[in-house]
Amino acid sequence: MANTTEPQHLQPLIPAFSLAHQNVELDIDLFARRLKGRTEITINPQSKELKSVRLNCRQCKITRITANSKVCSSFAYEEPYSKAALRWEAGVHQHHMLRRKLETQLKSPPEEELVINLPKSVRIDDLDPFSVTSAALIGTRSSVGINDNLGEPSSARTAVEQERRFTPVTIVIEYSIPYIRDGMHFVGWEEDELRYPHAYTKSFAAPGGSCCLFPCVDDLAARCTWEISIKCPKTVGDAIAHPSNAANGTGGTMNGVHKHTTNAPIDHFQSNMNAEDKALELAVICTGDMTDEVDDHMVPSRKTSTFFCSIPLSAQQLGFAIGPFEHVDLAEFRDRVEDDKLGQNAVPLHGFCLPGRAAEVRNTCLPMAKAIDFFTLEYGSYPFSNYKLCFVDDSIPEITHTGYLSICSNSLLFPEDVLEPLETVSRRMIHALASQWMGVNVIPKEPSDTWVVVGIAYFMTDAFLRRLFGKNDYGFRQKQATDRVADLDIGRPSIFDTGNLVDLDPFEAEFLALKAPLVLSILDRRFTKTGSASGLSRIISRVFLNAKVGDLANGAISTAYFAKTCERLGHAKLEAFFTQWVYGAGCPRFRVTQRFNKKKNVVEMLIQQTQSEPPERDLEKTTFMRDVKEEKQDVFAGPVQPVFTGPMTICIHEADGSPYEHLIEIKEVNTKIEILYNTKYKRLKRSKRQKDRTATAGATEYNPEENNDVLLYCLGDVLQSEEEIQQWRLTDWGKEDEDRMSQESYEWIRVDANFEWICKLSVTMAGYMYLSQLQQDKDVVAQLESIQYMAVQKEHGLVSTILLRTLMDTRYFHGIRTAAAAALVKHAREGDMDWLGLFHLEKAFQHFFCYLDSPMPRPNDFSDRAAYYIQCAIIGAIANVRDERGRSPIRARMFLLDKLKYNDNSDNQFSDAHYIATLMEALSEAMASKPPLGHDVEDTFTFAENDGDDLRFHKSCLEQIDRYRRTDEWLPSYHNILSRTALNATRTLLLAGVIDNNPASIVQYTRDGTADQLRLCAFENLIRMGLHKEDALLGWFLFAMGTDPSPVFRRQAFRLLGQLLGSIAIGQKASGLEALEQDGGLIIERDDASNLARKADLARRTTVPGALAALKSEVQDNETLKKGLWTAISSPALTLKEIKELLDICTLLYEPESSMRVILKYPRYWQCKKVGKGRLLFSQTEKVRTMPLPKRSLPPPPPPPLLLHPTTAAAAKAPLSRSPTLKREGSSASTTVTMPPPPPAQRRPLFKPPRRPSEGGEALSPAVPSPTAPTPTRMTPVEGEKPRLKIKLKIGPPKPAAG
């Protein structure tokens, strides 16, 4: 990818035709997984010279094509799935041969598979511009281009040519799909399947998905109106009553694995369903408005549902689902006030789910009604007539965005008693709704414009979540996202260029979804600062309005259009902003220093700006495949701005407690400013504040008029009494600190107070200023910045006290309190600290969640969600406490074990599965703690006498973990979180050497039929334990990856395969000695061989080429990996996209070999058996012949016959009694010839067979005399030797047939 700020276009496309309308009729056999279809495509030619139409079409059998009712006998169709295998015994080294066969379909975008040559009888004429048909064509929003160098681009055409309209062409294609391999997913139709049977379309986000079900133009920009008719069985029982046993003519496969070749599996399938399940009615949920649903008059057990889409959509934005879905009216959660305000503009909201999950749908989709009303009032009317949510199994991705409809995974559903997924799932569901406005209705014009669509959709989502969860939650998450972007956006392309890479790796889309909304949020803040009250919301609503009225051509938005709209409505020049944050990459780093000048009464500040260079980092196995893909695709870092410019707000909180904001402009690398100081009050001393609080607590009267100081009550003012200070071992400011605080002229300074920059800030201030910011600033971002500053300070009792008071004050946002709990870990040290941080954590947990003056925990009560988060945060912090040897102290482990053992959830209305999982994970991490590398071996394994870490303690911990694992088998938790945590704990303890290596306890969860998440967790733990070292486990993993019917499992298995290859490529981490040497703390002289090995080992851990070279060397002889990869590639369950991913892996690992392996079977010995009545039975045996038979020499041929004259026959008589006689039937003459054995050198055939007589009656051969010729009577043999052969032939006409 080039470092450019402008989109790079190939040769302009010449419009060939535009889409007007398309009808799709599908007759689906759910059990056999096949369909018959008919589609009618109406196109508007852009030229009279249109001779052919190119369409995308896969896995179809074309039966008939017509154009304007004229049969199209000339068409070319290449079905890619029929070419997705090599027909001989190939292997991974022939990966390039298979890639060559699929080259046209594997590239992006793929080439059209169906080319229809229009008959000459189809005429394309000019259309009357004033006709009704011509007026209808003006609304056409999409065009399909061809790039065949036939003429000029459309932009170069004259105005007259652009205004010309031509008669439309209607193309009708009749086809069938013998077996649906891609495009739809079928769940619950396999034998021994306990889930409700249903089917739905897969994600069509990329080209190649929708054309698997019907011929179409598989392009996001090709949009038209649609009419979709789907014929299917009426009930589940009808779907399985008379299934066809044949698919593709040879027997259908269930996702490429199971086959139905007899009626036995069908009967078994029906036996698993009771009458009530069979009577469940199948509902069709589809894009568009349902216009009709009628029973089939030919087959009463089938019905046809028809849907119409009046809003132009592309084929990739269509979707449907068929199953026994229950309907949930989500509009019932709409407020009556909002309903009255919207009136007729209130959008119908429907939810559909499988039987028994309606309550989970209501709980999960609770905010959807509020969200759709908020979006309607804030950004404009909903673009469609209704919105539907359909929840299905095994959906990948978790949410598929189609017009009118979002197909969601059941993994998103959660019941009322589960707290953990509330915020994350709510954000996913709200984003699905926002994508109907921006993502379905409005699309990116070019792939590089994807950031606009993604950014606006998430900006709308965050705007509603701010109202739903509050400003503190919004600000806290924005700050976390900003810090993460600042860490990730180093050496990466810009968000403009990232749009071209979203299909490269999932991380690219995740990064785009992270940074794009942040860029729009800072743009929104700059608008609001300049006086625009509505900010970016007004601009977004204008974009939707333009798309609705047609000003936004084809509903496609570009970066240039969006920037121009922002400038026009925001009344600001934004060229510099878009250059820095959209076309540019990276984030600035600011270092701010300040001091107070008493003479000038100003605050002098220096703001220094730097940009981070890409650091030398070690490769990680989790990101190894992404690094390889970016290396192979030449993904370069985007242009980094030397200086980021723009406005910045600096807020000085002066001594009177008032914040004074100052707006400055950043234009240079080093910016020096002077800010005038306003307040004359003294800064309030900490000791005085404490006295005032004590006096207030003692009911003594305080008169502020008697003191010129300003009294500020603030957060964190808990645990202030002398008794509490002693009980909690708190530390307060010393005399020296108080004197220094009294000399300060202001409380604290905030840089970028309005959060207008995506940056890293380092402000040089005293620690007590950060404390004032933590306790007095109401902005949650300022509080989090203070916690982050204290988290990196050296351990001290005063810092631990500040963090403890923050943790104990319930007025803080729960995110600030959990951050304070995590920061306390650093102050839990031996020696001078005397485990002060650990004491504070234990004391806080006891205060909130245990009985008074007792370590026994109270029964769980999760009604306060913030308290629940604090409870889990303290558990996690205690698990991270380590002593000088790197081990978790025994008191911490005993604390965790007691809380796990005595957990009581009997009176809690919420599930404690996630809390127990947190305890199990914390306990396993504490048990597996080991000293860091480089310590003395003798000190590593020595324990104190009072350590108490004996076998009984370990046994008790393992028993508790196993107890919850077994409980989860009988009473499954939410997504089997207890079993998954137990597997992770087993792996952690096994790798640490705490328990014996027994992978069988994990392998049992990899069997078929196990829940996907639990099965994937088991495989992931096996990989981290070194699965590639065991051929049996590696083969089983690759087999499951290639044959599992679940696309969710296969997608995650591909991710695990990448981690497996990454762990092999990177190898083991450096030992303690090598780590010291790399850090420069140790110099060791080595020989040349050792230096080369060390350099190679360093290269494999830091560079992609070095890691790939090591990976090839490691796996080149692994036959199990070779066989498993090629078996997966050849599996009929995989889609073309999955085949491409595996071919990419083979390209990295193995050199191509253009060879064809031919296999010949060894010959087998035959045996003969007498069966009686003159019959013999010949059959092959199991014995094979591996050695060739010896060559047999032929018997020597006789010499040529000697013909004697009859006159010499009497004289040549010999005493031989046996001689061959040649006698012609019908003649009295007979000839007897005696043939002596010839010498070896003159061997010839015994005789020459006669030729058939010719029509003229000529002699057969000169060697056979005619009846009238002299007949030779005898041949003189060699004297003294008997003849070896006598032949008597009768020559004459054949005998007539008897009777």
Side-chain angles (χ1 to χ4, degrees):
M1 183 184 63
N3 284 332
T4 59
T5 58
E6 295 296 335
Q8 297 294 321
H9 297 286
L10 299 176
Q11 187 175 358
L13 297 179
I14 304 171
F17 60 88
S18 61
L19 295 176
H21 181 73
Q22 183 167 353
N23 291 345
V24 177
E25 300 175 6
L26 303 178
D27 185 356
I28 304 177
D29 188 343
L30 295 173
F31 193 86
R33 304 191 182 190
R34 63 182 182 183
L35 65 82
K36 293 182 179 180
R38 180 183 181 275
T39 183
E40 180 180 318
I41 307 174
T42 302
I43 64 174
N44 299 321
Q46 302 296 314
S47 171
K48 283 186 175 183
E49 305 302 324
L50 181 64
K51 301 300 181 183
S52 63
V53 176
R54 306 177 68 91
L55 300 175
N56 298 99
C57 181
R58 294 183 177 180
Q59 70 180 8
C60 299
K61 285 188 175 181
I62 308 297
T63 57
R64 178 182 170 87
I65 300 178
T66 61
N68 288 351
S69 303
K70 306 295 194 307
V71 177
C72 299
S73 58
S74 175
F75 65 90
Y77 177 49
E78 294 185 3
E79 205 286 300
Y81 282 100
S82 61
K83 303 185 297 181
L86 298 180
R87 301 305 179 186
W88 62 87
E89 194 72 18
V92 291
H93 291 283
Q94 286 75 48
H95 58 82
H96 64 293
M97 304 176 72
L98 180 58
R99 181 185 292 274
R100 193 181 302 120
K101 294 180 63 178
L102 302 174
E103 183 178 4
T104 57
Q105 277 71 38
L106 295 183
K107 63 182 183 180
S108 181
E111 293 184 3
E112 296 83 356
E113 296 84 5
L114 178 60
V115 180
I116 304 173
N117 297 319
L118 298 180
K120 295 182 179 180
S121 56
V122 175
R123 296 184 56 184
I124 301 177
D125 299 325
D126 289 327
L127 195 64
D128 183 5
F130 300 101
S131 64
V132 178
T133 305
S134 179
L137 298 182
I138 299 178
T140 302
R141 303 177 57 180
S142 63
S143 62
V144 181
I146 55 175
N147 194 9
D148 52 4
N149 299 323
L150 292 179
E152 298 178 352
S154 59
S155 59
R157 293 187 172 190
T158 64
V160 176
E161 290 177 333
Q162 292 184 353
E163 293 297 329
R164 295 178 64 183
R165 298 291 183 264
F166 303 96
T167 55
V169 177
T170 301
I171 299 176
V172 178
I173 304 175
E174 298 177 2
Y175 63 97
S176 64
I177 303 179
Y179 178 73
I180 302 176
R181 177 173 175 175
D182 195 4
M184 284 187 68
H185 181 59
F186 297 81
V187 181
W189 301 97
E190 297 86 354
E191 53 182 298
D192 297 330
E193 181 65 75
L194 301 180
R195 294 181 292 181
Y196 286 101
H198 59 284
Y200 57 91
T201 54
K202 293 183 181 179
S203 173
F204 295 158
S210 55
C211 63
C212 291
L213 298 180
F214 50 87
C216 61
V217 179
D218 202 347
D219 185 7
L220 186 62
R223 314 179 82 180
C224 65
T225 57
W226 295 80
E227 184 175 356
I228 305 173
S229 298
I230 300 176
K231 182 185 292 186
C232 67
K234 296 175 60 176
T235 65
V236 175
D238 295 335
I240 63 176
H242 302 287
S244 174
N245 297 332
N248 289 338
T250 56
T253 62
M254 306 300 283
N255 281 0
V257 183
H258 309 291
K259 291 186 177 181
H260 291 295
T261 55
T262 64
N263 289 329
I266 300 171
D267 297 338
H268 183 69
F269 178 79
Q270 293 180 348
S271 65
N272 290 335
M273 305 183 66
N274 54 35
E276 184 178 356
D277 292 337
K278 294 180 181 179
L280 292 174
E281 184 177 357
L282 293 178
V284 180
I285 317 300
C286 182
T287 297
D289 297 310
M290 178 178 287
T291 59
D292 193 11
E293 185 175 59
V294 296
D295 295 340
D296 191 345
H297 65 280
M298 299 293 295
V299 183
S301 62
R302 300 179 69 82
K303 64 179 180 179
T304 302
S305 302
T306 305
F307 301 84
F308 184 77
C309 304
S310 58
I311 306 297
L313 297 172
S314 67
Q316 299 178 12
Q317 296 172 331
L318 303 181
F320 62 86
I322 305 174
F325 298 114
E326 294 181 358
H327 175 255
V328 179
D329 185 10
L330 300 177
E332 65 184 12
F333 299 107
R334 178 177 285 123
D335 292 340
R336 182 173 299 177
V337 177
E338 297 292 339
D339 198 4
D340 296 339
K341 185 185 299 184
L342 292 171
Q344 295 181 354
N345 293 327
V347 181
L349 198 60
H350 307 282
F352 297 92
C353 63
L354 295 174
R357 312 204 69 169
E360 295 180 11
V361 171
R362 290 187 175 92
N363 182 69
T364 305
C365 301
L366 182 63
M368 298 302 290
K370 293 181 178 293
I372 199 169
D373 294 342
F374 172 81
F375 291 154
T376 302
L377 295 175
E378 188 74 13
Y379 302 107
S381 60
Y382 180 66
F384 307 109
S385 59
N386 60 77
Y387 181 56
K388 294 169 281 190
L389 291 158
C390 185
F391 292 87
V392 296
D393 288 332
D394 298 342
S395 176
I396 189 73
E398 287 186 324
I399 299 179
T400 301
H401 308 293
T402 66
Y404 299 79
L405 169 67
S406 292
I407 301 177
C408 309
S409 172
N410 278 330
S411 61
L412 295 173
L413 297 177
F414 63 97
E416 294 182 356
D417 61 345
V418 176
L419 294 175
E420 283 291 328
L422 174 62
E423 296 177 354
T424 56
V425 172
S426 296
R427 190 169 192 264
R428 297 291 307 277
M429 301 305 299
I430 301 302
H431 175 258
L433 176 60
S435 297
Q436 295 292 311
W437 272 271
M438 181 60 71
V440 177
N441 182 47
V442 179
I443 60 175
K445 187 175 183 180
E446 299 289 342
S448 55
D449 301 320
T450 306
W451 78 272
V452 181
V453 174
V454 173
I456 292 179
Y458 276 105
F459 180 85
M460 296 169 59
T461 302
D462 294 336
F464 174 75
L465 292 179
R466 182 179 182 178
R467 173 176 293 190
L468 183 65
F469 293 130
K471 295 181 179 179
N472 286 339
D473 181 87
Y474 173 79
F476 185 80
R477 294 186 182 277
Q478 288 286 98
K479 175 59 178 174
Q480 286 184 322
T482 299
D483 293 341
R484 187 157 182 260
V485 168
D487 294 334
L488 293 176
D489 197 6
I490 301 176
R492 293 205 52 79
S494 64
I495 58 175
F496 182 82
D497 293 330
T498 304
N500 298 311
L501 306 173
V502 290
D503 294 333
L504 183 65
D505 189 81
F507 173 79
E508 312 297 340
E510 295 173 2
F511 178 77
L512 196 62
L514 185 66
K515 185 177 180 180
L518 286 178
V519 172
L520 294 182
S521 67
I522 64 175
L523 179 62
D524 176 63
R525 291 185 181 92
R526 295 189 182 185
F527 279 144
T528 54
K529 177 172 291 187
T530 57
S532 178
S534 57
L536 195 61
S537 299
R538 179 188 175 194
I539 298 172
I540 296 175
S541 61
R542 177 60 65 90
V543 170
F544 294 149
L545 179 61
N546 292 344
K548 184 177 182 180
V549 300
D551 291 345
L552 194 62
N554 202 28
I557 188 171
S558 64
T559 302
Y561 176 88
F562 180 70
K564 184 178 179 180
T565 305
C566 291
E567 289 181 346
R568 185 174 67 253
L569 299 181
H571 306 289
K573 294 294 184 180
L574 300 175
E575 181 180 357
F577 179 88
F578 278 82
T579 301
Q580 296 170 17
W581 298 106
V582 177
Y583 299 115
C587 298
R589 263 74 172 165
F590 292 109
R591 184 176 183 272
V592 183
T593 57
Q594 48 77 31
R595 73 183 185 92
F596 180 71
N597 191 329
K598 293 184 178 180
K599 294 182 179 181
K600 296 182 179 181
N601 197 31
V602 296
V603 179
E604 299 176 345
M605 300 185 66
L606 174 62
I607 303 176
Q608 297 174 313
Q609 181 181 165
T610 59
Q611 275 72 41
S612 298
E613 295 294 332
E616 292 292 337
R617 64 180 180 89
D618 290 343
L619 297 176
E620 299 179 4
K621 63 180 181 181
T622 55
T623 60
F624 172 72
M625 291 306 298
R626 171 169 64 89
D627 294 333
V628 171
K629 292 176 183 178
E630 291 180 351
E631 180 82 10
K632 296 298 182 181
Q633 294 291 333
D634 296 331
V635 178
F636 302 121
V640 180
Q641 299 297 316
V643 179
F644 282 82
T645 61
M648 179 179 287
T649 302
I650 297 178
C651 183
I652 300 179
H653 292 256
E654 300 185 5
D656 63 347
S658 300
Y660 293 88
E661 290 189 354
H662 305 272
L663 183 63
I664 65 172
E665 191 75 19
I666 303 295
K667 296 181 179 179
E668 300 176 352
V669 176
N670 297 323
T671 304
K672 294 182 180 181
I673 57 174
E674 293 182 352
I675 301 176
L676 182 64
Y677 192 73
N678 301 290
T679 307
K680 298 181 180 179
Y681 292 98
K682 296 179 182 179
R683 189 177 190 275
L684 185 63
K685 293 184 179 180
R686 187 74 50 177
S687 59
K688 176 63 179 175
R689 191 178 303 167
Q690 291 178 359
K691 293 178 181 179
D692 292 334
R693 291 198 187 94
T694 304
T696 303
T700 59
E701 185 178 356
Y702 173 75
N703 186 6
E705 297 180 357
E706 298 177 359
N707 198 318
N708 293 330
D709 295 335
V710 178
L711 181 61
L712 297 177
Y713 291 100
C714 54
L715 299 172
D717 56 352
V718 297
L719 305 178
Q720 297 289 342
S721 66
E722 294 296 335
E723 181 182 0
E724 291 174 331
I725 291 176
Q726 293 180 0
Q727 290 180 354
W728 291 78
R729 295 168 55 185
L730 303 180
T731 304
D732 215 326
W733 298 98
K735 182 69 168 56
E736 182 180 353
D737 295 328
E738 291 183 357
D739 293 340
R740 193 162 55 247
M741 292 164 60
S742 63
Q743 300 300 321
E744 295 291 347
S745 300
Y746 48 84
E747 292 281 339
W748 75 94
I749 297 178
R750 279 209 60 201
V751 180
D752 189 24
N754 291 339
F755 205 55
E756 303 167 88
W757 290 75
I758 305 174
C759 62
K760 280 285 189 179
L761 276 172
S762 175
V763 183
T764 304
M765 287 195 307
Y768 47 78
M769 291 188 176
Y770 276 103
L771 174 61
S772 299
Q773 177 176 312
L774 173 64
Q775 295 182 341
Q776 299 180 36
D777 202 321
K778 298 179 181 180
D779 189 358
V780 69
V781 176
Q783 299 169 5
L784 184 57
E785 289 175 351
S786 299
I787 293 294
Q788 291 173 344
Y789 168 81
M790 297 180 182
V792 298
Q793 300 304 308
K794 186 178 180 181
E795 56 268 15
H796 193 276
L798 179 60
V799 180
S800 183
T801 299
I802 296 172
L803 295 173
L804 174 64
R805 284 174 171 162
T806 304
L807 175 62
M808 298 298 295
D809 195 341
T810 57
R811 293 173 294 177
Y812 278 108
F813 177 64
H814 65 80
I816 303 299
R817 299 173 64 193
T818 55
L824 276 170
V825 175
K826 189 172 184 178
H827 305 277
R829 293 290 185 270
E830 293 180 288
D832 296 339
M833 294 299 296
D834 192 21
W835 301 110
L836 181 60
L838 178 59
F839 172 77
H840 285 164
L841 288 170
E842 293 174 340
K843 192 76 173 175
F845 191 92
Q846 181 181 355
H847 174 80
F848 287 121
F849 310 110
C850 295
Y851 290 105
L852 184 63
D853 298 329
S854 172
M856 180 65 65
R858 297 195 303 265
N860 295 328
D861 183 10
F862 298 157
S863 56
D864 186 354
R865 190 162 58 94
Y868 167 74
Y869 291 146
I870 300 302
Q871 187 173 358
C872 294
I874 295 177
I875 293 297
I878 293 177
N880 292 327
V881 175
R882 297 292 183 270
D883 58 15
E884 294 181 352
R885 299 174 299 170
R887 287 185 60 87
S888 175
I890 184 61
R891 59 185 283 191
R893 283 175 279 165
M894 289 297 299
F895 176 88
L896 297 173
L897 177 60
D898 291 341
K899 300 306 175 286
L900 182 62
K901 183 183 297 184
Y902 301 112
N903 177 69
D904 183 7
N905 202 60
S906 56
D907 297 332
N908 190 14
Q909 61 177 334
F910 296 97
S911 170
D912 64 343
H914 285 85
Y915 175 64
I916 294 176
T918 302
L919 283 169
M920 294 169 63
E921 182 180 2
L923 183 59
S924 63
E925 292 291 341
M927 291 176 60
S929 59
K930 281 190 174 183
L933 297 174
H935 282 222
D936 190 2
V937 178
E938 296 182 357
D939 294 338
T940 301
F941 298 99
T942 57
F943 303 97
E945 294 181 358
N946 58 351
D947 198 338
D949 191 15
D950 54 10
L951 295 177
R952 289 178 297 176
F953 174 78
H954 279 76
K955 183 178 180 180
S956 179
C957 294
L958 297 176
E959 286 178 352
Q960 291 300 319
I961 294 175
D962 190 64
R963 177 169 71 93
Y964 284 106
R965 181 190 62 80
R966 287 184 280 107
T967 302
D968 194 51
E969 293 180 355
W970 293 98
L971 298 174
S973 58
Y974 178 74
H975 289 177
N976 299 106
I977 187 173
L978 294 181
S979 296
R980 291 189 286 124
T981 306
L983 292 181
N984 295 335
T986 302
R987 180 254 308 160
T988 301
L989 298 176
L990 191 147
L991 293 178
V994 178
I995 61 177
D996 295 334
N997 189 353
N998 183 22
S1001 59
I1002 300 179
V1003 173
Q1004 63 177 337
Y1005 289 97
T1006 64
R1007 296 175 298 182
D1008 288 334
T1010 308
D1012 286 344
Q1013 291 186 341
L1014 184 56
R1015 193 181 184 200
L1016 287 166
C1017 179
F1019 274 121
E1020 183 174 6
N1021 284 292
L1022 289 174
I1023 287 175
R1024 299 184 66 176
M1025 292 165 54
L1027 173 143
H1028 62 281
K1029 299 177 182 179
E1030 299 290 339
D1031 290 343
L1033 294 179
L1034 178 60
W1036 168 234
F1037 169 71
L1038 295 174
F1039 175 80
M1041 180 188 69
T1043 59
D1044 195 277
S1046 171
V1048 177
F1049 179 87
R1050 295 199 303 269
R1051 175 68 61 85
Q1052 297 301 322
F1054 277 55
R1055 178 184 60 85
L1056 294 179
L1057 178 62
Q1059 294 185 10
L1060 172 64
L1061 297 177
S1063 62
I1064 299 175
I1066 300 172
Q1068 299 295 329
K1069 294 183 178 180
S1071 63
L1073 193 63
E1074 293 174 346
L1076 289 174
E1077 184 180 355
Q1078 293 173 11
D1079 293 339
L1082 187 64
I1083 299 177
I1084 298 178
E1085 294 184 359
R1086 303 174 182 265
D1087 55 11
D1088 294 339
S1090 299
N1091 285 331
L1092 291 177
R1094 176 178 171 274
K1095 290 181 179 179
D1097 187 66
L1098 181 62
R1100 73 183 299 181
R1101 294 197 302 268
T1102 57
T1103 63
V1104 173
L1108 287 178
L1111 179 60
K1112 289 183 179 180
S1113 176
E1114 292 282 348
V1115 304
Q1116 63 180 354
D1117 296 328
N1118 193 325
E1119 296 297 331
T1120 303
L1121 180 61
K1122 292 181 179 181
K1123 183 178 179 181
L1125 283 176
W1126 193 252
T1127 302
I1129 291 175
S1130 305
S1131 171
L1134 267 60
T1135 63
L1136 284 182
K1137 182 178 180 181
E1138 293 169 335
I1139 293 175
K1140 179 181 181 298
E1141 293 183 14
L1142 291 180
L1143 289 177
D1144 292 339
I1145 292 177
C1146 292
T1147 305
L1148 297 175
L1149 300 182
Y1150 306 107
E1151 296 295 331
E1153 296 179 2
S1154 299
S1155 61
M1156 179 183 294
R1157 183 180 178 186
V1158 180
I1159 297 179
L1160 300 178
K1161 295 182 178 180
Y1162 281 120
R1164 298 180 181 272
Y1165 285 92
W1166 287 80
Q1167 65 180 1
C1168 180
K1169 182 178 180 181
K1170 184 178 180 181
V1171 297
K1173 297 183 179 180
R1175 291 182 299 172
L1176 300 178
L1177 178 62
F1178 292 86
S1179 62
Q1180 284 186 336
T1181 64
E1182 296 297 329
K1183 183 179 179 181
V1184 297
R1185 187 173 71 245
T1186 59
M1187 299 296 293
L1189 294 175
K1191 294 184 178 180
R1192 297 182 179 181
S1193 59
L1194 296 176
L1202 299 178
L1203 300 178
L1204 301 180
H1205 196 272
T1207 57
T1208 60
K1213 286 184 179 180
L1216 296 177
S1217 60
R1218 298 179 181 178
S1219 60
T1221 303
L1222 280 73
K1223 184 177 182 181
R1224 181 182 293 249
E1225 295 183 2
S1227 174
S1228 59
S1230 64
T1231 305
T1232 302
V1233 181
T1234 302
M1235 302 174 62
Q1242 299 180 355
R1243 293 175 181 174
R1244 293 185 179 181
L1246 298 180
F1247 66 96
K1248 185 176 181 181
R1251 293 182 298 176
R1252 292 187 179 182
S1254 61
E1255 297 180 358
E1258 297 180 355
L1260 297 178
S1261 172
V1264 183
S1266 61
T1268 57
T1271 302
T1273 58
R1274 193 169 184 178
M1275 196 184 298
T1276 305
V1278 180
E1279 185 177 357
E1281 188 174 6
K1282 296 182 179 180
R1284 296 186 179 181
L1285 180 63
K1286 292 183 178 180
I1287 299 178
K1288 186 175 183 181
L1289 300 178
K1290 294 183 178 180
I1291 301 177
K1295 293 182 179 181

